[in-house]
Amino acid sequence: MFLKKITYLLFLFVLSIQLKAQQETIITGHVTEKGTNAGIPFVNVYFKGTLIGTVTDFDGNYSITTNTPKDSIYISLIGYRSKAKPVKKGQTQVIDFQLSPEALNLNTVEVRPGINPALRIIKNAQVNKSKYDRDNLNSVQYISYTKQEADVDNITPKMRKWRLFRPFISLWDSLDVLAGEESKANLPVMMSEVISEIYSYKEAEKKRENVEAVKIKFVGMKDGSAVSQLTGTDFQNYNFAKNTVAIQGKDILSPIADNAMLFYNYYLVDSVFIDSMKCYKIDCRPKNKKDLAYTGTLWIADTTFAIKQLDLEITPDVNVNWIDRARIQEVLIPTPAGPWVPSQTRTIVDYTTITSKFVSMVVRTYNSNRNFVVNQPKQNDFYETSTVYAEDAILKDTTWWRNNRHEQLTKMEAKSYDMIDTVRNIPFIKTGVNVLYFLFSGYKDFGPVDIGHYMQLYSRNQYEGDKVKLGFRTNAKFSKSWIIRGYGAYGFKDHGFKYNLQLERILTRFPWSKAGIQYRDDIDQAGTDFSFSSNMNLGQSPNNLFNFAAGIGPISRLVKKQEARIWYEKDFNIGISSKVTFQNIRTTPLFPVTFGDQFNIFLQRKYSITEALLDLRYSRKERYVQNGTERISFGNKRSAVISLNYTLGLKDVLDGDFNYHKASISYSNRFRFATLGFSQVYIKLGKVFSKVPYTLLEIPRGNETHIYATNTFNQMSNFEFVSDQYIEAFLQHHFSGLFFNRIPFLKEYNWREIVGINMIYGTLSNKNKQFNANNYFTVMEDVPYFEADLGVENIFNLIRIDYTYRLTYNDDFYLRDYRKANPGNKISTWGIKVGLQFSF
C-alpha cells in the first residue's frame, strides 16, 4: 500500500513537470545592428503590457523563460527603431533581431511641476565622481584584449554591380549569408586583435604596455608594424568621471561634468538590478542638439552613485565633422580601493557619407579588461620602457588565439580576415591605397624610393626667378635602418643648381635614436632655417599651403647658405627627446648688409659660423608610431610641450667668425573647456648673449601672403623687427560653434568661431645696435607688437577665414618711416587670410 502511494506521487510529480514544460516558453536570441552586424548591449526585450522582460548582455545576447507569454516579443533602445516578432507559445525557440539606427528626436522636452528626480541622482553622481575616478588609483595593472574592425559601408546593390566591385561578388554572397536575411555585408578593410598587459603608476606618471600578441590584416598595409602600434589599448580610454570625454580628438561634455546641467536634460526612466546592484536608469539629452554633448542612457548605482554602465552617442546634429554617429557602450566594476574601472567597452564610429553615390567607413572596437591589480606598483625602473613587444607577438597561431582571446570571433569576423587578404591584392585597391598615401604624405613611392613633396615643387623669388625642386627619400624597401634623402633645385633666373643630400641611420627603435650627416647648398629667406630632421606630426595642422605661398613673391632679403652638419637624436621613455648637432654654415647675403665694429665695416660680407646645439623637448604623453623608416607623432594627449635650445658659436673652428651664446625656451599646450571650446597657447622666450650679424638675431616670421598661418605674425611684414632678447606669445580660443549653434540659419552650417591675439616684445642691446648699424630693420620701443584676429572655421568642413588687425605699430608716423626705410614694402594694418585645415 505504501509503495502504491509512493508510485502515485512520483507519477503526479513527473506529470506536473511535463505539463509545466509544455506550458513554459523559452526564448533566446541575439540582437545586432543592421549594417554593422555588431551585437547591441542593454536592449530592452519584453512582452508588451507585462512586467516580463530582460536586457541584452554586452554582446547582445538575451534569454527569457515564462509560463505566460504573449503573441509577440518586443525590443527597444534609444537611437534605434523598435521592433516586434511573433512568439510560439510553449516552445523553446531562437528569435534574433537586427535593429536599424534611427535619428533621435531631440526637440520635444516635457516639463512637469515639482522636482525632477533624475537631477538628485545626477547631482550625487557629480559630487561623488572623484571617488570613483580610475585616475586616482596610485597604480593599476590588468590584462587587456582589444578587437577592431573597419568596414566600407553604404555599398548599395547598384554599386555592387560596378566594374570595380565585380571581383567581390562571390565573397559578398557568402558574407551576406552570415550577415542574416535582414542585412547586407560590408566590405572589410581592416581587422586586428591585441592582447596586452597594462601597467600604470600615477606617482611617477608612467605607463607600460607589454604587448603579448598582435594579429592584424589591413588592406592598405605597406608596413604592418605601424598599424600594429595603433591597435593597442592606449586609444580606448573613455573616462566619464572627467568633465570631457573625447571622440576622434573632439572633446564632448560628460553627462556628469561639473557644469553638465547647463547643457543636458535628464529623465529617470527606471530602476533595475545589475550584478545584484540597484541602479537608476537615466536618459540624458542635450538641451541644444548642436552642442558638444552626448545622447543616451546612464545606469547609476544606488547609494554609491557611481556609473555602473552607459550607452552614449553623438548624433549627426552635433557640430562634429566627418562623423555621422559615434557610440560608446561601457560596463564598469568597482575595485577594492574604491575607483571603478571599465571591464568592457565597445565603440562604433560611422563616418560621414559624402554623397549618396559614395561609400563611407565604419569602425568598430571592442575592449575587455580582466585581472585588475590596484595600488601595488612595480619598481620605478620597470616603467622606464613604455612599450614592449613579445618576440613572438605577431607569430601566435590560431590555437593560441582561440584559447586566449576574451571574446571569440563571430563567423562574420573570422571570414573578414580571409576576405581582407583577397581585397588588398586586387590591382585597383593597390592603386587607391597609393593615391591616398601620396595625398597624405606628399610622396609617391617608386619601389625603394619615395619622390616628393608635391607642395615643394615650385617657388619664385626676385633672385632665382622661377625655381623648381624635386625631392626624394628612401623607404623600408631600400633599408630598414639606413635613410638617404635630399633634393635638387634649379633657378631659371640665376641659372643656379641647388641641392641637399643627407644620410641617416636608425640606431635603435625602442627607444628611438638616430644619427645623421648632411650637406646642403641653397638659398633661403633670412631668418628661416631648413628643417633637416623632423617627424610627421598628426597632432597639429601642417602649414604646407602657407609655406608654398610664402615661397612665391617679392622676397628680397635672401641669403645663400652652404651647410654641413652632423647630429644625433635620442628619446628617453620619460617623455624627453634630445638632439645634439654640430654644424658649419657659410652665409652670403644677397642684399646689402653692413656689420662690424666702428672701424671694421664690410659691405655684403660673407661670414661663417660654427655651432654646437643642444635641443631638448619634453612631452609627457606624446604618442609615436613607426612607419618603416619614418616616425609619426599622434599628438601629446593633453600634456604640455616644453622645448629648450642652447647654441654655442665657436670662433676659429672650421673658420667660424664669431663666439656667441644663444638660448630659448618655449611652452605650448591646449586647454579644453568642453562645450565652451578650447584654447591653444604658445609662449617662447629667448636671448642672444653676444654681438652677431643681425641675420643671426631673432627675426619674427611675418606673413605677407593671403594664407593664414598659426604661430606666425599674420599682419607683420617679413624682416620687420630684429631683437636679441624677446618674448612672444600666441593665444587662440576656438569656441567650437558655441554662438553659431544658437543662431537660426547659421547653426545648420556647423561654422565655428575663433578669437586670437599674438604678441611679441623684443629689444636690442647697445652692442648689437652698434655692430649692426646702418641696416634697415625696426627695433621695438617700449610698446610690444600686438595683433588680433577674429575668424570663422569649419566652412565646408575645411576652410578657415580670419580678419586680422595690427593693434600697435600702426600709426601714420611709423608706417611712413617704415616705407622710407624699406622702399617697395608696404605695411597693411588689416587683412583677410584664408586657410585650410582638417579637423573633427
Side-chain angles (χ1 to χ4, degrees), residues 271-519:
S271 61
V272 295
F273 281 88
I274 304 174
D275 296 337
S276 301
M277 297 181 190
K278 182 181 178 181
C279 298
Y280 299 107
K281 181 180 179 182
I282 296 178
D283 283 352
C284 51
R285 300 186 181 188
K287 292 182 178 180
N288 186 315
K289 64 182 181 179
K290 305 295 290 185
D291 281 342
L292 297 177
Y294 289 97
T295 296
T297 306
L298 300 174
W299 286 263
I300 297 177
D302 187 20
T303 67
T304 64
F305 296 100
I307 296 177
K308 170 58 181 170
Q309 64 187 33
L310 57 89
D311 183 1
L312 301 171
E313 70 172 290
I314 56 174
T315 67
D317 295 313
V318 177
N319 193 340
V320 176
N321 293 336
W322 314 111
I323 294 177
D324 274 342
R325 187 173 64 106
R327 194 171 199 128
I328 302 173
Q329 297 158 326
E330 193 166 64
V331 173
L332 296 101
I333 58 176
T335 64
W340 290 49
V341 292
S343 61
Q344 291 176 294
T345 304
R346 178 180 283 110
T347 62
I348 299 175
V349 179
D350 194 351
Y351 293 93
T352 300
T353 303
I354 299 175
T355 71
S356 60
K357 296 183 178 180
F358 201 75
V359 297
S360 60
M361 181 80 71
V362 60
V363 178
R364 295 183 284 117
T365 304
Y366 170 82
N367 176 248
S368 172
N369 302 317
R370 296 178 179 175
N371 303 340
F372 285 92
V373 178
V374 300
N375 294 345
Q376 297 181 28
K378 305 286 187 182
Q379 295 294 324
N380 273 355
D381 57 359
F382 175 81
Y383 301 93
E384 292 301 322
T385 302
S386 59
T387 306
V388 177
Y389 286 86
E391 291 185 3
D392 62 344
I394 61 174
L395 303 177
K396 297 290 197 303
D397 60 19
T398 302
T399 302
W400 189 96
W401 278 102
R402 186 168 54 247
N403 294 333
N404 287 276
R405 59 169 59 98
H406 293 190
E407 180 191 69
Q408 293 305 310
L409 298 180
T410 65
K411 293 180 180 179
M412 177 76 72
E413 290 168 340
K415 187 71 174 177
S416 295
Y417 271 125
D418 298 331
M419 189 170 182
I420 289 169
D421 280 333
T422 303
V423 171
R424 70 180 178 184
N425 289 317
I426 295 174
F428 87 85
I429 293 291
K430 288 184 176 180
T431 301
V433 169
N434 289 333
V435 170
L436 290 175
Y437 177 79
F438 173 68
L439 295 174
F440 171 73
S441 69
Y443 288 84
K444 173 68 176 72
D445 67 312
F446 293 90
V449 178
D450 298 341
I451 303 298
H453 189 287
Y454 59 80
M455 292 295 288
Q456 300 172 0
L457 289 174
Y458 175 77
S459 61
R460 185 179 70 244
N461 59 66
Q462 67 178 29
Y463 183 84
E464 298 172 284
D466 295 315
K467 181 179 180 179
V468 294
K469 181 167 75 173
L470 186 63
F472 74 93
R473 67 185 184 192
T474 59
N475 55 43
K477 295 177 184 177
F478 174 82
S479 172
K480 295 186 181 299
S481 300
W482 290 95
I483 311 163
I484 302 173
R485 71 177 81 217
Y487 65 79
Y490 182 78
F492 287 89
K493 183 176 180 180
D494 68 337
H495 304 290
F497 179 74
K498 295 88 179 177
Y499 63 93
N500 173 63
L501 186 64
Q502 59 193 74
L503 175 68
E504 300 166 58
R505 164 78 173 178
I506 299 174
L507 302 175
T508 59
R509 290 185 175 270
F510 299 100
W512 177 267
S513 64
K514 186 172 72 171
I517 185 170
Q518 176 206 26
Y519 185 81

Side-chain angles (χ1 to χ4, degrees), residues 661-762:
H661 302 270
K662 299 167 66 175
S664 67
I665 184 171
S666 66
Y667 169 92
S668 65
N669 205 353
R670 175 178 286 192
F671 299 94
R672 295 165 168 84
F673 304 98
T675 53
L676 300 180
F678 65 91
S679 293
Q680 189 74 42
V681 177
Y682 177 81
I683 302 172
K684 183 178 180 181
L685 297 88
K687 183 175 177 64
V688 181
F689 295 89
S690 313
K691 59 182 180 182
V692 292
Y694 77 112
T695 51
L696 296 177
L697 297 173
E698 173 63 17
I699 304 172
R701 189 166 192 188
N703 181 3
E704 296 181 5
T705 77
H706 295 292
I707 305 300
Y708 184 87
T710 57
N711 294 350
T712 301
F713 296 99
N714 286 282
Q715 282 307 122
M716 183 186 291
S717 292
N718 293 326
F719 219 88
E720 184 175 346
F721 296 101
V722 172
S723 59
D724 57 13
Q725 53 185 355
Y726 60 92
I727 177 172
E728 62 182 27
F730 299 87
L731 170 63
Q732 280 200 345
H733 186 79
H734 300 247
F735 285 99
S736 301
L738 178 66
F739 303 109
F740 288 159
N741 287 347
R742 287 156 175 78
I743 301 176
F745 179 73
L746 282 182
K747 66 181 181 182
E748 304 303 324
Y749 292 94
N750 284 344
W751 292 354
R752 303 169 186 166
E753 320 84 348
I754 316 166
V755 294
I757 189 164
N758 304 329
M759 180 278 290
I760 182 168
Y761 181 60

Side-chain angles (χ1 to χ4, degrees), residues 37 98 175-184 412:
N37 303 304
Q98 284 193 325
L175 286 175
D176 283 343
V177 172
L178 296 175
E181 59 182 12
E182 298 176 89
S183 187
K184 290 291 184 181
M412 177 76 72

